[in-house]
Amino acid sequence: MEETRDQKRYERGLAKLSEVDGKWGQQVIEALRDIAPDMARYIIEFSFGDIYCRPGLDLKSREIATVAALTALGNAAPQLKVHIHAALNVGCTRTEVVETIMHMAVFAGFPAALNGLYAAKDVFKERDSDRDSGK
Amino acid sequence: MEETRDQKRYERGLAKLSEVDGKWGQQVIEALRDIAPDMARYIIEFSFGDIYCRPGLDLKSREIATVAALTALGNAAPQLKVHIHAALNVGCTRTEVVETIMHMAVFAGFPAALNGLYAAKDVFKERDSDRDSGK
Amino acid sequence: MEETRDQKRYERGLAKLSEVDGKWGQQVIEALRDIAPDMARYIIEFSFGDIYCRPGLDLKSREIATVAALTALGNAAPQLKVHIHAALNVGCTRTEVVETIMHMAVFAGFPAALNGLYAAKDVFKERDSDRDSGK
Amino acid sequence: MEETRDQKRYERGLAKLSEVDGKWGQQVIEALRDIAPDMARYIIEFSFGDIYCRPGLDLKSREIATVAALTALGNAAPQLKVHIHAALNVGCTRTEVVETIMHMAVFAGFPAALNGLYAAKDVFKERDSDRDSGK
Amino acid sequence: MEETRDQKRYERGLAKLSEVDGKWGQQVIEALRDIAPDMARYIIEFSFGDIYCRPGLDLKSREIATVAALTALGNAAPQLKVHIHAALNVGCTRTEVVETIMHMAVFAGFPAALNGLYAAKDVFKERDSDRDSGK
Amino acid sequence: MEETRDQKRYERGLAKLSEVDGKWGQQVIEALRDIAPDMARYIIEFSFGDIYCRPGLDLKSREIATVAALTALGNAAPQLKVHIHAALNVGCTRTEVVETIMHMAVFAGFPAALNGLYAAKDVFKERDSDRDSGK
């Protein structure tokens, strides 16, 4: 009876965050704990519980859209890395990530695309290293 | 013998531009004719002949990436409309376009997403009107 | 019993939207009806029900922050106008609005500040005209 | 004795504004009269009296830098047009203006460059029309 | 007799810079000494002597506007930190700073707001550490 | 006979890249090798082979435009440094570079200009250090 729609929204969001962002999402939530815990809640409830759970666009496409936008904006490097991880987590290939970023050269210029590629390079290296160390 | 790789690149780009942007791409090329005809050539050769023809990311994903980025940047309204048309031309549903734009509320804020939705509304109306008039 | 926290959130957001944005907020909600009605719901629930209802920063300061940010970004003219209205609705003087926008010349350059001032000029004129016609 | 350095700065700025922006600069000053007259004063004193009067970079280069930046930012269309006029006023050829804008395709993407070219097209037409009508 | 209005403007700006930015403003001035000393002078004269000294908007509101704009733009991390310090220097509470930054999630997206919160976290830590060490 | 226009374009671009960007351009090409080698090819063919080789705007002006745009955008620090080097490589004086960046205070605000000046400071120091060590 107390299981309100709002509570379900939080739980649905937390599950989606975990599915999409993995441990990197968890790090964001923890980084906010002592400065703005409600911000963590909004990310879970609104970004993941509302938006990411919507039907009509699959998760792979959502992450391609996210990587494209963050590459083009060029002013949110940590979030771009989290979402390159996310894109790979939900089934994009490395090639699809690289192509999405290169595609941005046309729409946001080469510097934005280059910095996106450097971010991808770091993420790929991090994942290889995690895998090699059995994480 | 004179059929150089470069000539093929132009032709390949022109075919791809036509497939993706339809008559809206043609309008861009014509608008550039008297001010910067080489810019039209670069759009055909580089944007479409090189980038859009690359394997590894399907056309639907390329247009989702493009609509996402132009919505997030928020400073290129005419190009956003051309690429909402393009997304629909290459097989995205209207729902996928709307969801891609709404997704941007998370990454670029509500004003960017709202202006993207207004652009989509105009494009959908234009296409309905074209269809009704048998164009 | 069915009065969930979520339902209260919608109602709280709708009241806050009405207080802050007045008829201009209503126009946004209506413009979204046939293209993305859920977007209207998120604006009400998240932007106004969650964020605008938070304690710790008064409404006048929230609108000064909003006008400053939209002036600086320079890519969301319709929303800037809505929030110049909103700033005046929640108690800012016209002078405070103008000073907030002029202040942006330092942080985002003169073109951004100029376009913000032109938006303010339009809004002030619209409000004078509404008042004169007894609206 | 009352001829302070500050007064000279204003006069120096006004002369420079007139040299660079011509009648379009005058229109900006007038548009600000009833909303923010001090903003007009700062444009004259700081932008033109201080920055534009500095030695070490000639006026042509200053306008090439300005046209490039406003094209790349893509969020200040009226000011871009004023500075395309300005570039031509201080001795840039139309070709140099067009090349500066096209150059931005590399650094800010094709949409930004396209919108810059459309602005140039409008400005060139306006100047041709002024000349034909003997203005 | 030589005490021109311009000299007063410099002194007024220097006092305001010191009041608002404290030692962080001084660091900016020093960083510019060997590369562009006139830039330091313009910051003092124009940004602080002209704009920050204007009546009609109190200093707290000016810093809320500044923190909001720099958070939204997301491309000037060092200046955002200086102005989070400044907001606290002129009387904003830490809560007001955090709320101003969270408010930007609505208008510029979550990545911009997150990076603003991380900046605030760093600044708060720095101030706690300065206080603990008796600076 | 096999010396196609396309092959010439690559070679022309490589020579121009080397003339403009020197060793810093070479570093970009190498950084892309294992993640997106075709991106390196597009930089050589399109950015340098097509755009930088165009007549109608001299190389000094192209680099002034580039430094201005990257300073104003403020989201591509590594590329700004490469092009401050490039500006000096093609004949701009340090004063011209500094003035171009300061000029951006008017059009993109002081934070963008400050970060541009810090980049220039780093580049000048790096070049002095290279010269002193006989590189």
Side-chain angles (χ1 to χ4, degrees):
Chain A
M1 198 163 66
E2 269 294 74
E3 178 79 339
T4 64
R5 220 182 89 199
D6 197 69
Q7 175 64 19
K8 282 188 201 147
R9 189 169 155 257
Y10 184 88
E11 281 160 19
R12 184 178 67 212
L14 197 59
K16 188 60 74 178
L17 173 70
S18 172
E19 176 187 358
V20 173
D21 279 0
K23 69 174 180 183
W24 294 274
Q26 198 49 43
Q27 285 170 5
V28 171
I29 300 310
E30 266 153 43
L32 291 170
R33 190 162 294 166
D34 58 340
I35 181 108
D38 284 351
M39 192 70 176
R41 186 164 60 79
Y42 296 141
I43 290 173
I44 291 166
E45 289 178 351
F46 172 66
S47 302
F48 287 89
D50 285 344
I51 298 289
Y52 267 89
C53 284
R54 293 179 61 79
L57 188 70
D58 61 81
L59 278 181
K60 271 189 61 177
S61 297
R62 286 192 184 276
E63 285 308 321
I64 283 169
T66 305
V67 167
L70 294 180
T71 297
L73 291 171
N75 60 0
Q79 288 75 29
L80 175 56
K81 285 192 182 177
V82 167
H83 285 279
I84 291 171
H85 278 298
L88 299 170
N89 292 345
V90 301
C92 290
T93 63
R94 291 190 181 190
T95 297
E96 285 172 324
V97 168
V98 166
E99 289 296 326
T100 299
I101 296 172
M102 284 177 68
H103 193 79
M104 289 301 106
V106 173
F107 297 100
F110 281 80
L114 282 175
N115 292 322
L117 289 171
Y118 300 155
K121 204 171 157 173
D122 285 352
V123 167
F124 295 171
K125 206 172 289 175
E126 196 184 339
R127 291 172 83 94
D128 288 342
S129 153
D130 274 16
R131 199 179 42 197
D132 293 349
S133 66
K135 266 188 228 173
Chain B
M1 195 165 67
E2 268 296 72
E3 178 77 339
T4 64
R5 220 180 90 200
D6 197 70
Q7 174 65 16
K8 283 187 199 147
R9 189 169 155 255
Y10 184 88
E11 279 161 20
R12 184 177 70 213
L14 197 59
K16 188 61 75 177
L17 173 71
S18 172
E19 175 187 358
V20 173
D21 280 1
K23 71 174 178 183
W24 295 273
Q26 197 50 43
Q27 285 170 6
V28 171
I29 300 310
E30 264 153 42
L32 291 170
R33 188 161 297 166
D34 57 341
I35 180 108
D38 284 351
M39 192 69 175
R41 187 164 59 79
Y42 297 141
I43 291 174
I44 291 167
E45 290 179 349
F46 172 66
S47 302
F48 287 89
D50 286 343
I51 297 289
Y52 266 88
C53 283
R54 293 179 62 78
L57 188 71
D58 61 81
L59 277 181
K60 271 189 61 178
S61 297
R62 287 191 184 277
E63 284 309 320
I64 283 169
T66 305
V67 168
L70 294 180
T71 297
L73 291 170
N75 60 1
Q79 288 76 29
L80 175 56
K81 285 193 184 177
V82 167
H83 285 279
I84 291 172
H85 278 296
L88 299 169
N89 291 346
V90 300
C92 291
T93 64
R94 289 191 182 191
T95 298
E96 285 172 323
V97 167
V98 166
E99 289 296 326
T100 298
I101 296 172
M102 285 178 67
H103 193 78
M104 290 300 106
V106 173
F107 297 100
F110 281 80
L114 282 174
N115 292 323
L117 289 171
Y118 299 154
K121 204 170 158 173
D122 285 353
V123 167
F124 296 170
K125 203 172 292 175
E126 195 183 340
R127 291 172 83 93
D128 288 343
S129 154
D130 274 16
R131 199 179 41 198
D132 293 350
S133 65
K135 264 189 233 173
Chain C
M1 197 163 66
E2 268 297 71
E3 178 78 339
T4 63
R5 219 182 90 200
D6 197 69
Q7 175 64 17
K8 281 187 200 147
R9 187 168 157 259
Y10 184 87
E11 281 162 18
R12 185 178 67 213
L14 197 58
K16 187 60 74 178
L17 174 71
S18 172
E19 176 188 357
V20 173
D21 280 0
K23 70 173 178 183
W24 295 273
Q26 198 49 44
Q27 285 169 6
V28 172
I29 300 310
E30 265 152 43
L32 292 169
R33 190 162 296 166
D34 58 341
I35 181 110
D38 285 351
M39 192 71 176
R41 186 164 60 77
Y42 297 141
I43 291 173
I44 291 167
E45 289 180 350
F46 172 66
S47 303
F48 287 89
D50 286 343
I51 298 289
Y52 267 89
C53 284
R54 294 179 60 80
L57 188 71
D58 61 80
L59 277 181
K60 271 188 60 177
S61 297
R62 286 191 184 276
E63 284 309 321
I64 283 168
T66 305
V67 168
L70 293 180
T71 297
L73 291 170
N75 60 1
Q79 289 76 27
L80 176 56
K81 284 192 184 178
V82 167
H83 285 279
I84 291 171
H85 278 296
L88 299 169
N89 291 345
V90 301
C92 291
T93 63
R94 290 190 181 192
T95 298
E96 285 172 323
V97 168
V98 166
E99 290 295 327
T100 298
I101 296 171
M102 284 178 68
H103 193 79
M104 289 301 105
V106 173
F107 297 102
F110 281 80
L114 282 174
N115 292 323
L117 289 171
Y118 299 154
K121 203 170 158 173
D122 285 352
V123 167
F124 295 171
K125 205 171 290 174
E126 195 184 339
R127 291 172 83 94
D128 288 344
S129 154
D130 274 15
R131 199 179 42 199
D132 292 350
S133 66
K135 266 188 230 171
Chain D
M1 197 163 67
E2 269 296 74
E3 177 78 341
T4 64
R5 219 181 91 199
D6 197 70
Q7 176 63 19
K8 282 187 200 149
R9 186 169 158 257
Y10 183 88
E11 281 163 17
R12 186 179 67 212
L14 198 59
K16 188 61 73 177
L17 173 70
S18 172
E19 176 188 357
V20 173
D21 280 0
K23 70 174 180 183
W24 294 273
Q26 198 50 43
Q27 285 171 5
V28 172
I29 299 310
E30 264 152 43
L32 292 169
R33 190 162 294 166
D34 58 340
I35 181 108
D38 284 351
M39 193 70 175
R41 187 164 59 78
Y42 297 141
I43 290 173
I44 292 166
E45 289 178 352
F46 173 66
S47 303
F48 287 89
D50 286 344
I51 297 290
Y52 267 88
C53 283
R54 293 179 61 80
L57 188 70
D58 60 83
L59 277 181
K60 271 188 60 178
S61 297
R62 287 192 183 276
E63 285 309 321
I64 283 169
T66 304
V67 168
L70 294 179
T71 296
L73 291 170
N75 61 0
Q79 288 76 27
L80 176 56
K81 284 192 185 178
V82 167
H83 284 279
I84 292 171
H85 277 297
L88 299 170
N89 291 345
V90 300
C92 290
T93 64
R94 290 189 180 192
T95 297
E96 285 172 323
V97 168
V98 166
E99 289 296 327
T100 298
I101 295 172
M102 285 178 67
H103 193 78
M104 289 300 106
V106 173
F107 297 101
F110 281 79
L114 282 174
N115 292 323
L117 289 171
Y118 299 154
K121 204 169 157 174
D122 285 352
V123 167
F124 296 170
K125 205 173 288 174
E126 195 183 338
R127 291 172 83 95
D128 288 343
S129 153
D130 274 17
R131 199 178 42 198
D132 292 349
S133 66
K135 265 188 230 172
Chain E
M1 196 164 68
E2 269 296 73
E3 178 76 341
T4 64
R5 218 182 92 199
D6 196 70
Q7 174 65 18
K8 282 189 199 146
R9 187 169 157 258
Y10 184 88
E11 280 163 18
R12 185 178 68 212
L14 197 58
K16 188 60 74 178
L17 173 71
S18 171
E19 176 188 357
V20 172
D21 280 0
K23 70 174 180 184
W24 295 274
Q26 197 51 43
Q27 285 169 6
V28 171
I29 300 310
E30 266 152 42
L32 292 169
R33 190 161 295 163
D34 57 340
I35 181 109
D38 284 352
M39 193 71 175
R41 186 163 61 77
Y42 297 141
I43 291 173
I44 291 167
E45 289 178 351
F46 173 66
S47 302
F48 287 88
D50 286 343
I51 297 290
Y52 266 88
C53 284
R54 293 179 61 81
L57 188 71
D58 61 81
L59 277 182
K60 270 189 61 177
S61 298
R62 286 191 184 277
E63 285 308 321
I64 283 168
T66 305
V67 168
L70 294 180
T71 297
L73 291 170
N75 60 1
Q79 288 75 29
L80 176 55
K81 285 193 184 177
V82 167
H83 284 280
I84 291 172
H85 277 297
L88 299 170
N89 291 346
V90 300
C92 290
T93 63
R94 290 189 181 193
T95 298
E96 285 172 322
V97 168
V98 166
E99 289 297 328
T100 298
I101 295 171
M102 284 178 67
H103 192 79
M104 289 301 105
V106 174
F107 297 102
F110 281 80
L114 283 174
N115 292 323
L117 289 171
Y118 299 154
K121 204 170 157 173
D122 285 352
V123 167
F124 295 171
K125 204 171 290 174
E126 194 183 342
R127 291 172 83 94
D128 288 344
S129 154
D130 274 15
R131 199 180 44 198
D132 293 350
S133 66
K135 265 187 230 171
Chain F
M1 194 164 68
E2 268 296 73
E3 178 77 340
T4 64
R5 217 182 92 201
D6 198 69
Q7 174 65 17
K8 281 188 201 148
R9 189 169 155 256
Y10 184 87
E11 280 162 20
R12 183 178 70 213
L14 197 59
K16 188 60 75 176
L17 173 70
S18 171
E19 175 187 359
V20 173
D21 279 1
K23 70 174 179 183
W24 294 273
Q26 197 50 42
Q27 285 169 6
V28 171
I29 299 312
E30 266 152 42
L32 292 169
R33 190 161 296 166
D34 57 341
I35 181 108
D38 285 352
M39 193 69 175
R41 186 164 60 79
Y42 298 141
I43 291 173
I44 291 167
E45 289 178 350
F46 173 65
S47 303
F48 287 89
D50 286 344
I51 298 290
Y52 267 88
C53 283
R54 293 178 62 79
L57 189 71
D58 61 81
L59 277 181
K60 272 189 60 178
S61 297
R62 288 193 182 275
E63 284 309 320
I64 283 169
T66 304
V67 167
L70 294 179
T71 297
L73 292 169
N75 61 1
Q79 289 76 28
L80 175 56
K81 284 192 185 178
V82 167
H83 284 279
I84 292 172
H85 277 297
L88 299 170
N89 291 346
V90 300
C92 290
T93 64
R94 290 191 181 191
T95 297
E96 284 171 324
V97 168
V98 166
E99 289 297 325
T100 298
I101 296 172
M102 286 178 66
H103 193 78
M104 290 300 106
V106 173
F107 297 100
F110 281 80
L114 282 174
N115 292 323
L117 289 171
Y118 299 155
K121 204 170 157 173
D122 286 352
V123 167
F124 295 171
K125 205 173 291 175
E126 194 183 340
R127 291 172 83 94
D128 288 343
S129 155
D130 274 16
R131 199 179 43 198
D132 293 350
S133 66
K135 266 188 227 170

